[in-house]
Coordinates of all heavy atoms in Angstrom, one line a residue:
M290 N 79.2 188.0 83.0 CA 78.1 187.2 82.4 C 78.7 186.1 81.6 O 79.6 186.3 80.8 CB 77.2 188.1 81.7 CG 75.9 187.4 81.2 SD 74.9 187.0 82.7 CE 73.5 186.3 82.0
Y291 N 78.1 184.9 81.6 CA 78.6 183.8 80.8 C 77.6 183.4 79.8 O 76.5 183.7 79.9 CB 79.0 182.6 81.7 CG 78.0 182.3 82.8 CD1 76.9 181.5 82.5 CD2 78.1 182.7 84.1 CE1 75.9 181.2 83.4 CE2 77.2 182.4 85.1 CZ 76.1 181.6 84.7 OH 75.2 181.3 85.7
Q292 N 78.1 182.6 78.8 CA 77.3 182.1 77.7 C 77.4 180.6 77.6 O 78.5 180.1 77.8 CB 77.8 182.8 76.4 CG 77.0 182.3 75.2 CD 77.6 182.9 73.9 OE1 78.6 183.6 73.9 NE2 76.9 182.6 72.8
F293 N 76.3 180.0 77.3 CA 76.3 178.5 77.1 C 76.1 178.3 75.6 O 75.2 178.9 75.0 CB 75.1 177.8 77.8 CG 75.4 177.7 79.3 CD1 74.9 178.6 80.2 CD2 76.2 176.7 79.8 CE1 75.1 178.5 81.5 CE2 76.4 176.6 81.2 CZ 75.9 177.5 82.0
I294 N 76.9 177.4 75.1 CA 76.7 177.0 73.7 C 76.5 175.4 73.7 O 77.4 174.7 74.2 CB 77.9 177.3 72.8 CG1 78.1 178.8 72.8 CG2 77.8 176.8 71.4 CD1 79.4 179.3 72.1
H295 N 75.4 175.0 73.2 CA 75.0 173.6 73.2 C 75.3 173.1 71.8 O 74.9 173.6 70.8 CB 73.5 173.4 73.5 CG 73.1 173.9 74.8 ND1 73.0 173.2 75.9 CD2 72.7 175.2 75.2 CE1 72.6 173.9 77.0 NE2 72.4 175.2 76.5
V296 N 76.1 172.0 71.7 CA 76.4 171.3 70.5 C 75.8 169.9 70.5 O 76.1 169.1 71.3 CB 77.9 171.3 70.3 CG1 78.3 170.7 68.9 CG2 78.6 172.6 70.4
V297 N 74.9 169.7 69.5 CA 74.1 168.5 69.5 C 74.4 167.6 68.3 O 74.5 168.2 67.2 CB 72.6 168.9 69.4 CG1 71.7 167.6 69.5 CG2 72.2 169.9 70.5
G298 N 74.6 166.3 68.5 CA 74.8 165.4 67.4 C 75.3 164.1 67.8 O 75.8 163.9 68.9
Q299 N 75.1 163.1 67.0 CA 75.5 161.7 67.3 C 77.0 161.6 67.3 O 77.7 162.5 66.8 CB 74.9 160.8 66.3 CG 73.4 160.7 66.3 CD 72.9 160.1 67.6 OE1 73.4 159.2 68.1 NE2 71.8 160.7 68.1
Q300 N 77.5 160.6 67.9 CA 78.9 160.4 68.0 C 79.5 160.3 66.5 O 78.9 159.7 65.6 CB 79.2 159.1 68.7 CG 80.7 158.8 68.9 CD 81.0 157.6 69.8 OE1 80.1 157.1 70.5 NE2 82.2 157.2 69.8
G301 N 80.6 161.0 66.3 CA 81.3 161.0 65.0 C 80.9 162.1 64.1 O 81.4 162.1 62.9
V302 N 80.1 163.0 64.5 CA 79.7 164.1 63.5 C 80.6 165.3 63.6 O 80.4 166.2 62.8 CB 78.2 164.5 63.7 CG1 77.3 163.4 63.4 CG2 77.9 165.1 65.0
G303 N 81.5 165.3 64.6 CA 82.4 166.5 64.7 C 82.1 167.5 65.7 O 82.6 168.6 65.6
K304 N 81.4 167.1 66.8 CA 81.1 168.0 67.9 C 82.4 168.6 68.5 O 82.5 169.8 68.7 CB 80.2 167.4 68.9 CG 78.8 167.0 68.5 CD 78.0 166.5 69.7 CE 78.6 165.3 70.3 NZ 78.5 164.0 69.6
S305 N 83.3 167.8 68.7 CA 84.6 168.2 69.4 C 85.3 169.2 68.5 O 85.9 170.2 69.0 CB 85.5 167.0 69.7 OG 84.9 166.2 70.7
Q306 N 85.4 168.9 67.2 CA 86.1 169.8 66.3 C 85.4 171.2 66.2 O 86.1 172.2 66.2 CB 86.2 169.2 64.9 CG 87.1 168.0 64.8 CD 86.3 166.7 65.0 OE1 85.3 166.7 65.7 NE2 86.9 165.6 64.6
V307 N 84.1 171.2 66.2 CA 83.4 172.5 66.2 C 83.7 173.3 67.5 O 83.9 174.5 67.5 CB 81.9 172.3 66.1 CG1 81.1 173.5 66.3 CG2 81.6 171.7 64.7
I308 N 83.7 172.6 68.6 CA 83.9 173.2 69.9 C 85.4 173.7 70.0 O 85.6 174.9 70.4 CB 83.7 172.2 71.1 CG1 82.2 172.0 71.2 CG2 84.2 172.7 72.4 CD1 81.7 170.9 72.2
V309 N 86.3 173.0 69.5 CA 87.7 173.5 69.5 C 87.8 174.7 68.6 O 88.5 175.7 69.1 CB 88.7 172.4 69.0 CG1 90.0 172.9 68.7 CG2 88.8 171.2 70.0
A310 N 87.2 174.8 67.5 CA 87.3 175.9 66.6 C 86.6 177.1 67.2 O 87.2 178.3 67.2 CB 86.7 175.6 65.3
L311 N 85.4 176.9 67.8 CA 84.8 178.1 68.5 C 85.5 178.6 69.7 O 85.6 179.8 69.9 CB 83.3 177.6 68.9 CG 82.3 177.5 67.7 CD1 81.0 176.9 68.2 CD2 82.1 178.8 67.0
A312 N 86.0 177.6 70.5 CA 86.8 178.0 71.7 C 88.0 178.8 71.3 O 88.3 179.8 71.9 CB 87.2 176.8 72.4
A313 N 88.7 178.5 70.2 CA 89.9 179.2 69.7 C 89.5 180.7 69.4 O 90.2 181.6 69.7 CB 90.5 178.6 68.5
A314 N 88.3 180.8 68.7 CA 87.8 182.2 68.4 C 87.5 183.0 69.6 O 87.9 184.2 69.7 CB 86.6 182.1 67.5
Y315 N 86.8 182.4 70.6 CA 86.5 183.1 71.8 C 87.7 183.4 72.6 O 87.9 184.5 73.2 CB 85.5 182.3 72.7 CG 84.1 182.4 72.2 CD1 83.5 181.3 71.6 CD2 83.3 183.5 72.3 CE1 82.2 181.3 71.1 CE2 82.0 183.6 71.8 CZ 81.5 182.5 71.2 OH 80.2 182.6 70.8
Q316 N 88.7 182.5 72.7 CA 89.9 182.7 73.5 C 90.7 183.8 72.8 O 91.4 184.6 73.5 CB 90.7 181.4 73.6 CG 90.0 180.4 74.5 CD 90.6 179.0 74.4 OE1 91.3 178.7 73.5 NE2 90.3 178.2 75.5
A317 N 90.7 183.9 71.5 CA 91.4 185.0 70.8 C 90.9 186.4 71.2 O 91.6 187.4 71.1 CB 91.3 184.8 69.3
R318 N 89.7 186.4 71.7 CA 89.1 187.7 72.2 C 89.3 187.9 73.7 O 88.7 188.8 74.3 CB 87.6 187.7 71.8 CG 87.3 187.8 70.3 CD 85.9 188.2 70.1 NE 85.1 187.0 70.0 CZ 83.8 186.9 70.0 NH1 83.1 188.0 70.0 NH2 83.2 185.8 69.9
G319 N 90.1 187.0 74.3 CA 90.4 187.1 75.7 C 89.4 186.4 76.6 O 89.4 186.7 77.8
L320 N 88.5 185.6 76.1 CA 87.5 185.0 77.0 C 87.9 183.6 77.4 O 88.7 182.9 76.7 CB 86.1 184.8 76.2 CG 85.5 186.1 75.7 CD1 84.3 185.9 74.9 CD2 85.1 187.0 77.0
V321 N 87.5 183.2 78.6 CA 87.9 181.9 79.2 C 86.8 180.9 78.8 O 85.6 181.2 79.0 CB 88.0 182.0 80.7 CG1 88.2 180.6 81.3 CG2 89.1 183.0 81.1
C322 N 87.2 179.8 78.2 CA 86.2 178.8 77.7 C 86.3 177.5 78.5 O 87.4 177.2 79.0 CB 86.5 178.4 76.2 SG 86.2 179.8 75.1
A323 N 85.2 176.8 78.7 CA 85.2 175.5 79.4 C 84.4 174.5 78.6 O 83.3 174.9 78.0 CB 84.6 175.7 80.8
G324 N 84.8 173.3 78.6 CA 84.0 172.2 77.9 C 84.6 171.7 76.7 O 84.0 170.9 76.0
Q325 N 85.9 172.0 76.5 CA 86.6 171.3 75.3 C 87.2 170.0 75.9 O 87.5 169.9 77.0 CB 87.8 172.2 74.8 CG 87.4 173.6 74.5 CD 87.7 174.6 75.6 OE1 87.0 174.6 76.6 NE2 88.7 175.4 75.4
D326 N 87.6 169.1 74.9 CA 88.2 167.9 75.3 C 89.5 168.2 76.1 O 90.2 169.1 75.8 CB 88.6 167.1 74.0 CG 87.4 166.3 73.4 OD1 86.5 166.0 74.2 OD2 87.5 166.1 72.2
P327 N 89.8 167.5 77.1 CA 89.1 166.3 77.6 C 87.9 166.5 78.6 O 87.2 165.6 79.0 CB 90.2 165.5 78.3 CG 91.1 166.6 78.9 CD 91.0 167.7 77.9
A328 N 87.7 167.8 79.0 CA 86.6 168.1 79.9 C 85.4 168.4 79.1 O 85.1 169.5 78.7 CB 87.0 169.4 80.7
V329 N 84.6 167.3 78.9 CA 83.4 167.4 78.1 C 82.2 167.5 79.1 O 82.1 166.7 80.0 CB 83.2 166.2 77.2 CG1 81.8 166.3 76.5 CG2 84.3 166.2 76.2
Y330 N 81.4 168.5 79.0 CA 80.2 168.7 79.9 C 78.9 168.3 79.2 O 78.8 168.6 78.0 CB 80.1 170.1 80.4 CG 81.4 170.5 81.1 CD1 82.1 171.7 80.8 CD2 81.9 169.8 82.2 CE1 83.2 172.1 81.4 CE2 83.1 170.1 82.8 CZ 83.7 171.3 82.4 OH 84.9 171.6 83.1
T331 N 78.0 167.7 79.9 CA 76.7 167.3 79.3 C 75.5 168.0 79.9 O 74.4 167.7 79.6 CB 76.6 165.8 79.4 OG1 76.6 165.4 80.8 CG2 77.6 165.0 78.6
S332 N 75.8 168.9 80.9 CA 74.7 169.6 81.5 C 75.2 171.0 82.0 O 76.4 171.1 82.2 CB 74.1 168.9 82.7 OG 75.0 168.9 83.8
R333 N 74.4 171.9 82.1 CA 74.7 173.3 82.6 C 75.2 173.2 84.0 O 76.2 173.8 84.4 CB 73.4 174.1 82.5 CG 73.6 175.6 82.9 CD 72.3 176.3 82.9 NE 71.8 176.4 81.5 CZ 70.7 175.7 81.1 NH1 70.1 174.8 81.9 NH2 70.3 175.8 79.9
K334 N 74.6 172.4 84.9 CA 74.9 172.2 86.3 C 76.4 171.7 86.4 O 77.2 172.2 87.1 CB 74.0 171.3 87.0 CG 74.3 171.1 88.4 CD 73.3 170.1 89.1 CE 73.6 169.8 90.5 NZ 72.7 168.9 91.2
E335 N 76.7 170.6 85.6 CA 78.0 170.1 85.6 C 79.1 171.1 85.2 O 80.1 171.2 85.9 CB 78.1 168.8 84.7 CG 79.4 168.2 84.6 CD 79.5 167.1 83.5 OE1 78.6 167.1 82.6 OE2 80.4 166.3 83.6
A336 N 78.8 171.8 84.2 CA 79.7 172.8 83.7 C 80.0 173.9 84.7 O 81.2 174.3 85.0 CB 79.2 173.5 82.4
L337 N 79.0 174.4 85.4 CA 79.2 175.4 86.4 C 79.9 174.9 87.6 O 80.7 175.7 88.2 CB 77.8 176.0 86.8 CG 77.1 176.9 85.7 CD1 75.7 177.2 86.1 CD2 77.9 178.2 85.4
Q338 N 79.7 173.7 88.0 CA 80.4 173.1 89.1 C 81.8 172.8 88.8 O 82.7 173.1 89.7 CB 79.7 171.8 89.6 CG 78.4 172.0 90.2 CD 77.7 170.7 90.6 OE1 78.0 169.6 90.0 NE2 76.7 170.7 91.5
E339 N 82.1 172.3 87.6 CA 83.5 171.9 87.3 C 84.4 173.1 86.9 O 85.6 173.0 87.0 CB 83.5 170.9 86.2 CG 82.8 169.6 86.6 CD 83.6 168.8 87.6 OE1 84.8 168.8 87.6 OE2 82.9 168.2 88.5
A340 N 83.8 174.1 86.3 CA 84.6 175.2 85.8 C 84.0 176.6 86.1 O 83.6 177.3 85.2 CB 84.8 175.1 84.3
P341 N 83.9 176.9 87.4 CA 83.3 178.2 87.7 C 84.2 179.3 87.2 O 85.4 179.2 87.2 CB 83.2 178.2 89.3 CG 84.3 177.2 89.7 CD 84.3 176.2 88.6
G342 N 83.6 180.4 86.8 CA 84.4 181.5 86.4 C 84.6 181.6 84.9 O 85.3 182.6 84.4
A343 N 84.2 180.6 84.1 CA 84.4 180.7 82.6 C 83.5 181.7 82.0 O 82.4 182.0 82.6 CB 84.3 179.3 82.0
D344 N 83.9 182.2 80.9 CA 83.0 183.1 80.1 C 82.1 182.4 79.2 O 81.0 182.8 78.9 CB 83.9 184.1 79.3 CG 84.7 185.0 80.2 OD1 84.2 185.6 81.2 OD2 86.0 185.0 80.0
V345 N 82.6 181.3 78.6 CA 81.8 180.5 77.6 C 81.9 179.1 78.0 O 83.0 178.5 78.3 CB 82.4 180.7 76.2 CG1 81.6 179.9 75.2 CG2 82.5 182.2 75.8
Y346 N 80.7 178.4 78.1 CA 80.6 177.0 78.4 C 80.1 176.2 77.2 O 79.1 176.6 76.6 CB 79.7 176.8 79.6 CG 80.2 177.3 80.9 CD1 79.8 178.6 81.3 CD2 81.0 176.5 81.7 CE1 80.2 179.1 82.5 CE2 81.4 177.0 82.9 CZ 81.0 178.3 83.3 OH 81.5 178.8 84.5
F347 N 80.8 175.2 76.8 CA 80.3 174.3 75.8 C 79.7 173.0 76.4 O 80.3 172.4 77.2 CB 81.5 173.9 74.8 CG 82.0 175.1 74.1 CD1 83.2 175.7 74.5 CD2 81.4 175.6 73.0 CE1 83.7 176.8 73.9 CE2 81.9 176.7 72.3 CZ 83.1 177.3 72.7
I348 N 78.5 172.7 76.0 CA 77.8 171.6 76.5 C 77.5 170.6 75.3 O 76.9 171.1 74.3 CB 76.4 171.9 77.1 CG1 76.5 173.1 78.1 CG2 75.7 170.7 77.7 CD1 77.2 172.8 79.3
E349 N 77.9 169.4 75.4 CA 77.7 168.4 74.3 C 76.4 167.5 74.6 O 76.2 167.1 75.8 CB 78.9 167.5 74.2 CG 80.1 168.1 73.5 CD 81.1 167.1 73.1 OE1 80.8 165.9 72.9 OE2 82.3 167.5 73.0
H350 N 75.6 167.3 73.6 CA 74.4 166.5 73.7 C 74.4 165.5 72.6 O 74.7 165.8 71.4 CB 73.2 167.3 73.6 CG 73.1 168.4 74.6 ND1 72.7 168.2 75.9 CD2 73.3 169.7 74.5 CE1 72.7 169.4 76.6 NE2 73.1 170.3 75.7
Q351 N 74.1 164.2 72.9 CA 74.0 163.2 71.9 C 72.7 163.2 71.1 O 72.6 162.8 70.0 CB 74.2 161.8 72.5 CG 75.6 161.5 73.1 CD 76.6 161.4 72.0 OE1 76.3 160.8 71.0 NE2 77.8 161.9 72.2
S352 N 71.6 163.7 71.8 CA 70.3 163.8 71.1 C 69.6 165.1 71.4 O 69.9 165.7 72.4 CB 69.4 162.6 71.6 OG 69.0 162.8 72.9
E353 N 68.7 165.4 70.6 CA 67.9 166.6 70.7 C 67.1 166.6 72.0 O 66.9 167.7 72.6 CB 67.0 166.8 69.5 CG 66.3 168.1 69.4 CD 67.2 169.2 69.0 OE1 68.2 169.0 68.3 OE2 67.0 170.4 69.5
D354 N 66.7 165.5 72.4 CA 65.9 165.4 73.6 C 66.6 165.8 74.9 O 66.0 166.2 75.9 CB 65.4 163.9 73.9 CG 64.5 163.5 72.7 OD1 63.9 164.3 72.1 OD2 64.4 162.2 72.5
A355 N 67.9 165.7 74.9 CA 68.7 166.1 76.1 C 69.0 167.5 76.2 O 69.5 168.0 77.2 CB 70.0 165.3 76.0
V356 N 68.7 168.3 75.2 CA 69.1 169.8 75.2 C 68.1 170.5 76.2 O 66.9 170.4 76.0 CB 69.0 170.4 73.8 CG1 69.2 171.9 73.8 CG2 69.9 169.7 72.8
D357 N 68.7 171.2 77.1 CA 68.0 171.9 78.1 C 68.3 173.4 78.0 O 68.5 174.1 79.0 CB 68.2 171.4 79.5 CG 69.7 171.5 79.9 OD1 70.5 171.8 79.0 OD2 70.0 171.4 81.1
A358 N 68.4 173.9 76.8 CA 68.8 175.3 76.5 C 67.7 176.3 77.0 O 66.5 176.0 76.9 CB 69.1 175.5 75.0
C359 N 68.2 177.4 77.5 CA 67.3 178.5 78.0 C 67.3 179.6 76.9 O 68.2 179.6 76.0 CB 67.8 179.1 79.3 SG 67.8 178.0 80.7
A360 N 66.4 180.5 77.0 CA 66.3 181.6 76.0 C 67.7 182.3 76.0 O 68.3 182.6 77.0 CB 65.2 182.5 76.4
G361 N 68.1 182.6 74.8 CA 69.4 183.3 74.6 C 70.6 182.5 74.4 O 71.7 183.0 74.1
E362 N 70.5 181.2 74.7 CA 71.6 180.3 74.5 C 71.7 179.7 73.1 O 70.7 179.4 72.5 CB 71.5 179.1 75.5 CG 71.6 179.6 77.0 CD 71.5 178.5 78.0 OE1 71.3 177.3 77.6 OE2 71.7 178.8 79.2
L363 N 72.9 179.6 72.6 CA 73.1 179.1 71.2 C 73.0 177.6 71.2 O 73.6 176.9 72.0 CB 74.5 179.6 70.7 CG 74.9 179.2 69.4 CD1 73.9 179.8 68.3 CD2 76.3 179.7 69.1
V364 N 72.3 177.0 70.2 CA 72.2 175.6 70.0 C 72.7 175.3 68.6 O 72.2 175.8 67.6 CB 70.8 175.0 70.2 CG1 70.8 173.5 69.9 CG2 70.3 175.3 71.6
I365 N 73.7 174.5 68.5 CA 74.3 174.1 67.2 C 74.0 172.6 67.0 O 74.4 171.8 67.8 CB 75.8 174.3 67.1 CG1 76.1 175.8 67.3 CG2 76.4 173.8 65.8 CD1 77.6 176.1 67.5
R366 N 73.2 172.3 65.9 CA 72.8 170.9 65.6 C 73.7 170.4 64.4 O 73.7 171.0 63.4 CB 71.4 170.9 65.2 CG 70.5 171.2 66.4 CD 69.0 171.3 66.0 NE 68.2 171.6 67.1 CZ 67.9 172.8 67.6 NH1 68.5 173.9 67.1 NH2 67.1 173.0 68.7
L367 N 74.4 169.3 64.7 CA 75.2 168.7 63.6 C 74.6 167.4 63.2 O 74.1 166.6 64.0 CB 76.6 168.5 64.2 CG 77.4 169.7 64.7 CD1 78.7 169.3 65.3 CD2 77.6 170.7 63.6
S368 N 74.8 167.1 61.9 CA 74.4 165.8 61.4 C 75.3 165.4 60.2 O 76.0 166.2 59.7 CB 72.9 165.8 60.9 OG 72.8 166.7 59.9
R369 N 75.2 164.1 59.9 CA 76.0 163.7 58.8 C 75.2 163.9 57.5 O 74.0 163.8 57.4 CB 76.3 162.2 58.9 CG 77.2 161.9 60.1 CD 77.5 160.4 60.1 NE 78.2 160.2 61.4 CZ 78.4 159.0 61.9 NH1 78.0 158.0 61.3 NH2 79.1 158.9 63.0
A370 N 76.0 164.3 56.5 CA 75.3 164.5 55.2 C 75.0 163.3 54.4 O 75.6 162.2 54.6 CB 76.2 165.4 54.3

C-alpha cells in the first residue's frame, strides 16, 4: 500500500526542503519514496505512471485549488511568515 503526501505552497516557501526531510525519514525506515527533486510530481496520476512501486509519493502544488487529495492522504500547507 502506498501513501500520498501533498505539499502546498507558492514558489520559494520551502516545499522541496520539506519533501527532502520527510523522504529521508521515510527512507530510514526502509520505504521507497518518489517525488523529490529533480522528479517533481504535480498529480497522483503522474506520480503513479512515473514511479510505480514506490511506498510514499510526494505531490507538489502551487495553490490550494490544485490539491486533489483523497481521504487519508496527508496535506501539508506552507506559507511565508
Side-chain angles (χ1 to χ4, degrees):
M290 189 66 179
Y291 46 81
Q292 176 182 6
F293 286 98
I294 299 175
H295 301 266
V296 183
V297 185
Q299 296 297 318
Q300 186 171 345
V302 296
K304 291 185 303 288
S305 293
Q306 290 90 339
V307 168
I308 290 172
V309 167
L311 288 172
Y315 282 109
Q316 289 168 340
R318 292 193 273 169
L320 299 174
V321 176
C322 297
Q325 308 95 290
D326 281 335
V329 175
Y330 303 126
T331 57
S332 72
R333 185 182 295 103
K334 180 180 178 181
E335 177 187 21
L337 290 171
Q338 287 176 341
E339 296 293 323
D344 298 305
V345 180
Y346 293 94
F347 296 99
I348 312 289
E349 285 193 24
H350 303 282
Q351 293 290 321
S352 73
E353 189 70 34
D354 297 336
V356 178
D357 60 347
C359 294
E362 295 180 355
L363 180 63
V364 177
I365 300 171
R366 293 171 178 87
L367 302 175
S368 64
R369 295 183 187 167

